[in-house]
Amino acid sequence: MKTALVIYSAKKGATKVLAECISEGLKTKGVEVNIKDSADITSEEDLKGFDGYVVGSPTYYTEPME
């Protein structure tokens, strides 16, 4: 069975919801999925042993100052 690590970073939770949706989609294709907040990854060992990786982070837009 293929394995995937889905990593997300979210302040308000929207990116976490997207990561969960991606995880569910992968599971429907027979992929074993591990989902982690980027803050929970503390070493290189946390990233080893997966066949695929999905990384998501929010983007923030602010108006330029004049």
Side-chain angles (χ1 to χ4, degrees), residues 35-55:
I35 183 170
K36 289 189 177 193
D37 187 315
S38 62
D40 295 334
I41 297 174
T42 57
S43 74
E44 184 179 306
E45 293 300 314
D46 293 336
L47 302 173
K48 290 184 176 180
F50 296 94
D51 297 308
Y53 301 86
V54 178
V55 180

Side-chain angles (χ1 to χ4, degrees):
M1 176 180 280
K2 297 290 183 182
T3 61
L5 174 61
V6 177
I7 305 167
Y8 67 91
S9 176
K11 288 183 181 179
K12 297 181 181 179
T15 306
K16 180 180 180 181
V17 171
L18 290 172
E20 291 167 345
C21 290
I22 290 167
S23 295
E24 289 304 315
L26 289 169
K27 288 177 184 177
T28 66
K29 298 297 183 183
V31 178
E32 183 179 320
V33 180
N34 190 333
I35 183 170
K36 289 189 177 193
D37 187 315
S38 62
D40 295 334
I41 297 174
T42 57
S43 74
E44 184 179 306
E45 293 300 314
D46 293 336
L47 302 173
K48 290 184 176 180
F50 296 94
D51 297 308
Y53 301 86
V54 178
V55 180
S57 65
T59 57
Y60 298 101
Y61 175 78
T62 59
E63 294 289 328
M65 296 179 66
E66 292 183 26

